Amino acid sequence: MNVVIDGKTIEAIKGETILECALRNGISIPHLCTHPALPPFGACRICIVEVEGMRGYPTSCSTPIAEGMVIHTQTEALRLLRRNILGLMMLEHPSACLVCERRELCDKYRPKSEKVGATTGCHTCNNKEVCEVRELSADLGLAEIMVAPKYHYKPVERSEPFIDRDLNLCILCGRCVRICKLHQGKSVIDFVHRSSQTHIGQAFGKNLHEAGCTFCGSCVDVCPTGTLSDRYAKWFGRPDAEIKTTCIYCDEACALTIYAVNNKAVMAKGLYDHLPVCVLGHFAIPEFLNSPNRLRTPQIRVNKVLRPVTSEETVQRCAELLKNYTGTSFAFICDTSSTLEDRHVFKKFTQEVMQSPYYFEIIPDKKGYAKVANIPEEVKAVITTGLFIPQEYRNRFEVVIALDIFPSEWTKSADVVYPVATFAETSGTVLDRNNQLRPLVKACNPPGEALPEWSVIQQIAKTISENWKEYTSVEDISRELGFDSAKLNLDRSSAPPASQNLKERREWFKGHCMENYVTGLVAVRNFEEGNPHEEKTSIKIEVNIPENPEHFTVLSRRELVPNTYEFVIYAPAIARKASPGQFVIVMVDESSERIPYSLSDWDENKGTITLVIQEKGLSSRKMISVMEGERLAHVVGPLGTAFEIKQYGTIAILGGCYGIGAVVRLSRALREKGNKVIVISEARSHYMAYYEKELTAVSDRFIQTTIDASSGEKGHAIDGLKRLLQAGEKIDLIVAVGCPFMMMITANETRDTGIKAVCALNPIMLDGTGMCGACRISVGGETKFACVDGPFFDAHQVDWDEVRDRREAYSAEEIQAISFTMPSTTIQGEHHYHQCSCMGRG
Amino acid sequence: MSSSHSELVSGLQQLFQKYPAKRSSIIPLLQEVQGHYGYISAPAVDAMADYLGVSASEIYGVASFYTQFKFTPPGKYVIQICQGTACHVRASSIILEALREELKIEPGHTTPDGLFTLERVACVGCCALAPVMAINGKVYAQMTQDKVCEVIKEYRQKEENKVGKEK
Ligand code: SF4
Ligand code: SF4
Ligand code: SF4
Ligand code: FES
Ligand code: FES
């Protein structure tokens, strides 16, 4: 069957759609709601084409191709239509970043998205690096948003295990609903309510678990926007490697793709679009492997305590210990989670080197639970590769060598502990339930000095016996076993039972209960037992603030605009001493990080201070979850050098996002001193603008700018300033208070004007007294400490690249801390989950 | 589950029988349930999901698309505000606004104490008395903002007295 697409004659296949035919032939037609795993839906109309002789613009994803069709995919009319369709869709999406004129610069300056609560634009969106909407927008050349977009003010849903949902980003493409239906037979989620209220949800507002969700994660995989996200993976950005391998959590042996960043597994998905995997395969791999609790260094017992030593010493010690236990006094105990290659080496070691008949391979039960029933009495020395022997039998053994991934009572009482690689950290061959061989492919590095199990045992074997025939690689062992790597495959024809029924999931791996290492599984358990954690909502509850509140009590808390909150805190000592430009350092509770916030306002008489706080990262998330009437552990201040209030002439103060708060008092004080103050406040969109009234009241002129031109002038604050300068306004001083990007562009774009520009640097500070050096920055080649020398610096002298790098430096740890897949409230509530206050950063 | 739950389920099953267990029966079944019980409850949707072999979310999705379906039991007093032409001309929207304020609910919803349900209706058929409000069928003529609030207060008073007596 022949057709013509964009002038090219093409052989079409009967039954395929126009889109499929085009894509197959390397002709790209923009599309959005359709997905390779799903039947056509025809909802978004982005994929429209022109077909000669056909009326209107058919959607290529749902129109079957037919003999002799002459199709045009790239006419000017189509481009315009598509752009308009996307533009309409973007009216209910935080779309300002898509039409921002500085978006490329922004991407360069902040390549990673910022870890906010509610996403209000691409640069704070977890989907930023892999977004289909962004790509489409760039392709179609979307440049303006026709009318003021609508923001839905839906609270971000963070109370579900593993999955975060920010429905404010949803474009209603329906992919999630359709994949759920395909993978589960029935859709757990669906479009609910009508017209402008339509959203993705469950019947009667049930939670996902109640609605029958198995946490297969398929909806997260297909969502083209940042609406549905994997709580653990979302902030790692674009993976730098993709490895196809087999899941070894159970003997279903599902085929997976594991995504890695810097040799660290960050995300996993089923390999096949048309088949779901279970909750473990989708959500439990990265967090389990990256657990801060993993064993990292070999240890041997010296004078009753385990001490970290080199691997040579460890191997040497093993050989010495085992010397006297050849024959039936030795046993090797492993389970089927080790690869066939590993197990081949274990068995050979047991029989040839130790000359013992006692090689035990435990087959875990349905829940993955693996414990040995009976070890012969005569066994006095064991090597184990997991937590298989109940601790009460410990005293039976004179020598215990524990190869393991996590510490336990067993490893703590062992003579030697050797950390090993597992799962995606190693390669080999595994056997599925149908006795079919499957490949296990290494996707990431094991922690610390951990090694594959076979190589640890081989080293011991070599030390004990000169006759050991050395393997140089896993392939070497596979060859000996007669495995033909060419025949190994990842084919699969059915979904694993646990993907259809959550209760079928395994709970143990190598004798370890997975809930201890994968926080989302604890959440699942809580749901099953009927006590889910609910996210605190910001519904106003009546609180009685006492006449004489305790220090640091939150007297009022309100969400000014999405993701930005205003706090009024009782802190009379600070209110008495504060001056414009100063900041305070807040500790939410005894164990939390110290975070600097600019003072936005204060009232000496009432003894209160006002802070504007953006939810970004773990500490501020804790902060914004503090409700009215609750107390903060500590507020220190006022800190920093106050802005010098004197006669400057005409001052332009530029404020952006969380910086806008600090402008209020500064502007008032400068104006009272006789300056002419022009305040220019920027926001991404009209729904992100706040304090307009307050700023109008304290300035001689107030200008609002928005990136999407939905309120006031178009652009950043600097664009407002440039227009003023063009119009002949004489400015004597520029002050910029906002995020580093905003201050950086202000600095760069005013450098040539000869006007002095001052910025307020609030980068990462820790102790706030100049001792820790965390806030070090370079200004005009000199090292300064933002906490004591600042926050105000000459914007033209600041090394902006360094400011950016310092912020980036902290983000890896922050991601680790914020990414536990437990619903957010539980993280906030249980600081001791990982037994210390470091939230796993230690 | 309680006996009332099993009663509900067997009652529902009788209702369902008339319709084939197919997706296309969702709307007629919803209408049956609402006709019979006055609203669509969560257990009813679950039972329907079992019967039709679709998910509860899907049924809820369909039901919540149409304003005719209600998800809470109607209040003891159903207040209907006429939106017919005559009433509209005589500013029935102001009356509706006043009730919204007074009851703190949107049309189609029921007050949390279960006392009042607010509804918009097309025409009550007494255009001469416009604007009208009907409470459980009893028509109140030529309403004003003040008058509706008075009427609501009377009903509330009546209820309180009752509760007082029962004590
Ligand atoms: S989903 Fe996120 S990255 Fe994509 S366009 Fe929307 S805000 Fe931007
Ligand atoms: S995780 Fe799976 S079962 Fe749950 S809503 Fe998404 S697709 Fe459906
Ligand atoms: S949640 Fe994602 S996949 Fe589902 S409709 Fe919205 S944008 Fe589409
Ligand atoms: S991709 Fe074809 S209509 Fe959405
Ligand atoms: S915050 Fe530690 S030195 Fe400034």
Side-chain angles (χ1 to χ4, degrees):
Chain A
M1 186 161 66
N2 280 332
V3 297
V4 179
I5 304 183
D6 293 341
K8 254 197 276 174
T9 305
I10 279 168
E11 178 78 16
I13 301 172
K14 203 173 147 54
E16 68 183 344
T17 62
I18 296 178
L19 180 66
E20 282 164 343
C21 179
L23 294 178
R24 199 168 48 76
N25 287 285
I27 299 168
S28 71
I29 302 175
H31 53 275
L32 195 54
C33 70
T34 197
H35 186 273
L38 297 166
F41 190 47
C44 72
R45 299 198 52 83
I46 291 285
C47 67
I48 48 172
V49 289
E50 284 176 43
V51 180
E52 286 181 15
M54 253 171 110
R55 286 185 42 209
Y57 300 95
T59 49
S60 62
C61 71
S62 57
T63 310
I65 201 131
E67 174 71 57
M69 270 185 173
V70 180
I71 300 154
H72 304 278
T73 73
Q74 300 297 341
T75 65
E76 208 30 59
L78 283 170
R79 263 182 80 77
L80 186 66
L81 269 171
R82 289 177 188 146
R83 194 186 307 146
N84 287 343
I85 294 168
L86 182 69
L88 280 175
M89 215 183 282
M90 290 300 102
L91 290 182
E92 297 195 28
H93 191 80
S95 46
C97 293
L98 295 174
V99 295
C100 173
E101 275 161 21
R102 292 187 182 81
R103 62 179 182 275
E104 276 163 28
L105 194 59
C106 175
D107 261 353
K108 253 204 236 141
Y109 194 73
R110 35 187 182 204
K112 296 268 169 221
S113 50
E114 291 176 355
K115 297 161 281 297
V116 296
T119 294
T120 53
C122 301
H123 105 252
T124 56
C125 182
N126 61 75
N127 206 44
K128 172 180 170 183
E129 292 172 51
V130 291
C131 184
E132 291 179 44
V133 175
R134 268 185 112 199
E135 253 173 57
L136 198 59
S137 166
D139 277 3
L140 298 179
L142 187 72
E144 58 171 350
I145 301 292
M146 280 89 76
V147 294
K150 180 169 166 187
Y151 184 78
H152 284 277
Y153 295 97
K154 295 222 163 71
V156 183
E157 297 171 22
R158 295 190 288 203
S159 308
E160 303 283 359
F162 302 109
I163 301 174
D164 279 349
R165 292 204 296 203
D166 184 345
L167 294 177
N168 302 301
L169 304 180
C170 178
I171 53 168
L172 300 174
C173 69
R175 283 190 190 177
C176 55
V177 173
R178 289 176 289 143
I179 198 88
C180 186
K181 188 159 191 171
L182 182 78
H183 284 183
Q184 300 296 328
K186 302 173 184 180
S187 47
V188 169
I189 44 179
D190 210 325
F191 293 113
V192 298
H193 299 286
R194 60 172 306 175
S195 58
S196 68
Q197 299 300 312
T198 308
H199 61 93
I200 298 302
Q202 299 82 250
F204 295 97
K206 291 178 185 181
N207 61 45
L208 278 173
H209 180 262
E210 281 169 339
C213 174
T214 63
F215 301 98
C216 69
S218 301
C219 51
V220 177
D221 295 345
V222 296
C223 178
T225 68
T227 311
L228 305 181
S229 55
D230 172 338
R231 189 173 301 127
Y232 186 87
K234 70 196 266 189
W235 299 120
F236 286 103
R238 188 194 291 279
D240 54 29
E242 253 186 70
I243 298 94
K244 295 184 171 83
T245 183
T246 301
C247 180
I248 60 167
Y249 278 145
C250 80
D251 55 7
E252 279 289 326
C254 291
L256 296 176
T257 309
I258 293 195
Y259 298 82
V261 173
N262 278 331
N263 290 313
K264 176 174 163 146
V266 296
M267 182 170 67
K269 282 182 192 174
L271 179 61
Y272 300 110
D273 280 342
H274 64 281
L275 287 175
V277 292
C278 83
V279 58
L280 301 182
H282 199 291
F283 291 116
I285 298 167
E287 193 181 358
F288 189 77
L289 298 182
N290 298 332
S291 167
N293 291 4
R294 284 289 297 275
L295 289 170
R296 284 157 206 278
T297 28
Q299 299 167 62
I300 61 176
R301 191 163 297 281
V302 183
N303 302 330
K304 301 216 166 117
V305 282
L306 283 172
R307 293 215 189 285
V309 287
T310 63
S311 77
E312 292 76 29
E313 273 177 87
T314 316
V315 168
Q316 199 58 45
R317 171 64 66 90
C318 290
E320 281 161 24
L321 286 170
L322 292 174
K323 213 167 46 210
N324 304 322
Y325 296 92
T326 45
T328 55
S329 59
F330 173 82
F332 198 110
I333 298 161
C334 65
D335 78 347
T336 53
S337 70
S338 297
T339 63
L340 293 168
E341 286 82 355
D342 287 326
R343 285 185 263 157
H344 178 65
V345 172
F346 302 163
K347 194 167 179 181
K348 228 171 126 178
F349 172 80
T350 310
Q351 294 171 346
E352 291 174 13
V353 179
M354 299 306 292
Q355 295 175 10
S356 163
Y358 296 141
Y359 166 70
F360 298 111
E361 221 170 67
I362 311 167
I363 298 172
D365 73 2
K366 271 194 74 175
K367 286 277 159 197
Y369 191 72
K371 289 279 175 289
V372 276
N374 39 15
I375 302 167
E377 287 286 345
E378 58 199 306
V379 172
K380 292 292 168 225
V382 281
I383 297 184
T384 54
T385 61
L387 186 49
F388 305 132
I389 303 182
Q391 197 62 20
E392 63 250 41
Y393 296 134
R394 174 61 184 87
N395 290 338
R396 280 220 213 152
F397 309 107
E398 289 158 14
V399 170
V400 169
I401 295 173
L403 273 56
D404 214 331
I405 51 176
F406 288 114
S408 63
E409 282 305 304
W410 181 255
T411 58
K412 280 181 197 147
S413 65
D415 299 290
V416 177
V417 179
Y418 210 111
V420 290
T422 185
F423 207 145
E425 298 157 355
T426 179
S427 18
T429 313
V430 294
L431 206 56
D432 73 8
R433 59 188 309 147
N434 303 316
N435 284 327
Q436 206 188 323
L437 294 175
R438 303 266 181 188
L440 182 68
V441 185
K442 182 172 184 237
C444 55
N445 286 344
E449 292 160 61
L451 288 177
E453 293 170 339
W454 66 267
S455 88
V456 176
I457 297 301
Q458 163 156 294
Q459 287 185 54
I460 302 173
K462 269 174 20 190
T463 315
I464 298 179
S465 155
E466 288 163 5
N467 301 331
W468 180 266
K469 182 184 139 285
E470 186 164 353
Y471 300 107
T472 53
S473 64
V474 182
E475 292 74 37
D476 222 5
I477 314 173
S478 318
R479 230 170 290 130
E480 183 168 307
L481 284 166
F483 298 156
D484 181 355
S485 63
K487 282 207 184 124
L488 295 184
N489 68 57
L490 291 161
D491 297 349
R492 248 200 104 77
S493 57
S494 64
S499 73
Q500 307 296 300
N501 179 358
L502 192 53
K503 288 219 148 53
E504 301 267 347
R505 71 181 184 278
R506 290 221 171 166
E507 290 173 11
W508 304 77
F509 182 69
K510 281 189 184 294
H512 298 281
C513 178
M514 297 174 68
E515 273 170 38
N516 289 334
Y517 308 100
V518 182
T519 46
L521 292 173
V522 182
V524 168
R525 162 89 56 222
N526 286 335
F527 274 89
E528 286 174 343
E529 289 171 358
N531 46 13
H533 290 272
E534 297 289 340
E535 171 116 30
K536 278 192 208 170
T537 50
S538 40
I539 293 171
K540 279 256 175 197
I541 18 168
E542 292 287 325
V543 275
N544 288 322
I545 309 283
E547 284 278 309
N548 296 308
E550 270 187 272
H551 280 226
F552 316 138
T553 302
V554 173
L555 301 182
S556 107
R557 168 200 185 273
R558 64 183 176 122
E559 187 165 7
L560 292 170
V561 292
N563 218 42
T564 305
Y565 298 77
E566 179 201 77
F567 277 79
V568 179
I569 300 161
Y570 186 67
I574 302 176
R576 252 196 319 274
K577 286 183 283 178
S579 316
Q582 287 188 298
F583 65 93
V584 293
I585 283 199
V586 174
M587 274 181 81
V588 178
D589 57 41
E590 301 303 337
S591 67
S592 53
E593 218 175 282
R594 312 157 55 92
I595 348 161
Y597 292 116
S598 302
L599 279 162
S600 132
D601 203 355
W602 54 89
D603 185 326
E604 220 182 303
N605 297 326
K606 291 193 191 139
T608 58
I609 58 170
T610 304
L611 308 178
V612 172
I613 294 172
Q614 197 183 32
E615 184 192 342
K616 190 152 93 184
L618 190 67
S619 308
S620 57
R621 178 189 285 188
K622 262 194 196 169
M623 177 72 196
I624 63 107
S625 68
V626 176
M627 296 289 152
E628 281 175 16
E630 294 179 354
R631 248 192 96 229
L632 301 165
H634 209 47
V635 185
V636 192
L639 299 166
T641 313
F643 198 92
E644 197 185 343
I645 305 297
K646 60 171 194 191
Q647 257 286 226
Y648 294 92
T650 303
I651 307 174
I653 308 182
L654 280 54
C657 54
Y658 49 89
I660 293 169
V663 173
V664 180
R665 269 317 264 263
L666 186 60
S667 172
R668 188 157 88 198
L670 285 169
R671 197 161 166 240
E672 279 166 3
K673 205 66 192 181
N675 293 288
K676 176 178 175 190
V677 183
I678 304 171
V679 170
I680 312 173
S681 167
E682 71 174 40
R684 250 175 249 167
S685 190
H686 65 99
Y687 56 84
M688 293 300 289
Y690 65 96
Y691 279 176
E692 294 102 320
K693 271 203 209 99
E694 287 83 347
L695 294 170
T696 310
V698 295
S699 58
D700 292 284
R701 185 163 172 205
F702 172 66
I703 301 168
Q704 177 72 57
T705 70
T706 49
I707 307 298
D708 62 3
S710 58
S711 166
E713 301 180 5
K714 183 172 164 66
H716 285 95
I718 177 69
D719 297 314
L721 176 66
K722 281 161 126 181
R723 277 185 286 260
L724 279 183
L725 291 171
Q726 253 160 28
E729 181 81 51
K730 200 189 136 294
I731 309 274
D732 301 298
L733 177 71
I734 300 164
V735 184
V737 194
C739 69
F741 177 72
M742 175 263 189
M743 296 189 287
M744 183 274 287
I745 56 173
T746 306
N748 288 350
E749 297 182 30
T750 56
R751 215 177 287 280
D752 299 335
T753 60
I755 307 170
K756 187 172 162 70
V758 169
C759 61
L761 280 188
N762 234 355
I764 313 140
M765 298 186 197
L766 291 180
D767 77 348
T769 59
M771 279 168 42
C772 72
C775 63
R776 203 174 54 238
I777 46 154
S778 309
V779 181
E782 260 181 73
T783 299
K784 301 270 182 188
F785 296 95
C787 66
V788 284
D789 302 326
F792 295 100
F793 294 99
D794 182 339
H796 297 141
Q797 299 286 324
V798 170
D799 181 342
W800 290 104
D801 289 339
E802 188 195 43
V803 171
R804 176 200 53 204
D805 294 345
R806 295 203 67 83
R807 288 162 63 88
E808 287 283 314
Y810 281 78
S811 61
E813 292 160 27
E814 175 95 20
I815 289 176
Q816 180 70 25
I818 207 169
S819 301
F820 292 121
T821 54
M822 182 167 272
S824 61
T825 35
T826 324
I827 293 182
Q828 287 151 11
E830 291 179 19
H831 315 296
H832 304 297
Y833 188 76
H834 284 273
Q835 281 99 40
C836 67
S837 59
C838 73
M839 294 302 295
R841 263 164 296 171
Chain B
M1 283 277 171
S2 63
S3 69
S4 69
H5 184 263
S6 52
E7 267 167 38
L8 173 72
V9 171
S10 64
L12 286 166
Q13 272 160 358
Q14 288 207 331
L15 282 184
F16 295 167
Q17 267 166 25
K18 290 186 250 167
Y19 299 90
K22 284 198 306 207
R23 209 182 169 277
S24 58
S25 305
I26 293 183
I27 291 182
L29 279 182
L30 285 167
Q31 281 165 331
E32 281 284 346
V33 171
Q34 175 139 318
H36 204 265
Y37 295 94
Y39 74 111
I40 312 285
S41 66
V45 168
D46 288 341
M48 210 184 286
D50 277 346
Y51 180 71
L52 299 176
V54 299
S55 74
S57 297
E58 196 174 334
I59 296 176
Y60 181 80
V62 172
S64 60
F65 183 81
Y66 298 97
T67 40
Q68 70 176 111
F69 296 116
K70 313 236 166 329
F71 300 102
T72 42
K76 187 163 177 191
Y77 302 107
V78 179
I79 307 172
Q80 294 176 314
I81 297 298
C82 183
Q83 305 273 288
T85 320
C87 287
H88 178 75
V89 172
R90 302 200 144 212
S92 62
S93 57
I94 296 180
I95 310 296
L96 186 66
E97 205 44 54
L99 281 167
R100 247 183 176 152
E101 280 275 303
E102 179 66 31
L103 301 171
K104 303 208 165 41
I105 52 169
E106 292 296 308
H109 290 249
T110 301
T111 52
D113 59 7
L115 223 43
F116 300 103
T117 298
L118 185 56
E119 273 181 9
R120 275 189 288 226
V121 288
C123 178
V124 191
C126 6
C127 302
L129 306 176
V132 300
M133 158 172 99
I135 300 188
N136 286 3
K138 182 168 175 207
V139 175
Y140 293 80
Q142 286 162 352
M143 284 284 115
T144 63
Q145 268 160 294
D146 291 344
K147 272 200 207 160
V148 286
C149 295
E150 278 303 308
V151 176
I152 297 298
K153 280 203 190 96
E154 275 167 36
Y155 274 87
R156 284 211 177 112
Q157 199 61 50
K158 206 161 86 188
E159 280 303 309
E160 264 167 40
N161 291 344
K162 257 196 230 159
V163 176
K165 266 181 218 154
E166 278 160 17
K167 268 191 187 161

